[in-house]
């Protein structure tokens, strides 16, 4: 059920993006300035078909969002991520220090690590 609602949610999201992009711009610069001034909350008499479709898709998108939230809350059933962390046994081991000989610089008698230069 959760997957079906998720698929519907994604289709609604893409449809909503498409319908919004198809609409005519009523003002420039994010609606600022002297352009249009009309919107959903004005006294405009009739809304276009695209505006009505946008409202329907937006309401359906919000409904699927709420439905997915309710389903996720029911599936969690009081469990927490912290509970999962506590169930995992943690092995604490002290880091092993290198031997004292490894910390000293090489002496003159040691063989070099790099190969000799080619002639």
């Amino acid at each position: 059920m959760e997957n079906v609602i998720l698929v519907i949610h994604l289709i609604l999201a893409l449809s909503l993006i498409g319908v919004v992009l198809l609409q005519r711009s009523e003002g420039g610069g994010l609606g600022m300035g002297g352009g249009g001034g009309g919107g959903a909350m004005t006294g405009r008499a009739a809304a276009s078909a695209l505006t009505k479709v946008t409202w329907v898709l937006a309401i359906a998108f919000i409904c699927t969002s709420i439905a997915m939230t309710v389903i996720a809350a029911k599936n969690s059933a009081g469990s927490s991520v912290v509970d999962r962390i506590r169930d995992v046994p943690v092995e604490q081991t002290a880091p092993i220090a290198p031997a004292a000989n490894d910390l000293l610089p090489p002496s003159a008698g040691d063989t070099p690590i790099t190969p000799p230069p080619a002639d």
Side-chain angles (χ1 to χ4, degrees), residues 21-39:
L21 289 176
L22 285 175
Q23 291 181 8
R24 167 177 79 84
S25 175
E26 294 186 6
L30 299 174
M32 295 182 288

Side-chain angles (χ1 to χ4, degrees), residues 4 10 23 29 32 37 50 69-70 73 76 93 97-98 118:
V4 172
L10 292 175
Q23 291 181 8
M32 295 182 288
L50 281 177
T69 303
V70 170
S76 68
T93 58

Side-chain angles (χ1 to χ4, degrees), residues 31-113:
M32 295 182 288
M41 303 302 286
T42 61
R44 224 169 36 176
S48 69
L50 281 177
T51 305
K52 291 178 183 178
V53 170
T54 303
W55 277 102
V56 170
L57 288 175
I59 291 169
F61 182 81
I62 291 171
C63 290
T64 56
S65 298
I66 292 171
M68 285 194 306
T69 303
V70 170
I71 290 173
K74 285 183 181 179
N75 288 345
S76 68
S79 66
S80 174
V81 176
V82 177
D83 295 336
R84 294 179 192 167
I85 293 174
R86 290 182 187 159
D87 293 342
V88 176
V90 178
E91 295 181 21
Q92 294 182 352
T93 58
I96 300 172
N101 295 342
D102 293 341
L103 298 176
L104 298 174
S107 63
D110 289 343
T111 57
I113 297 174

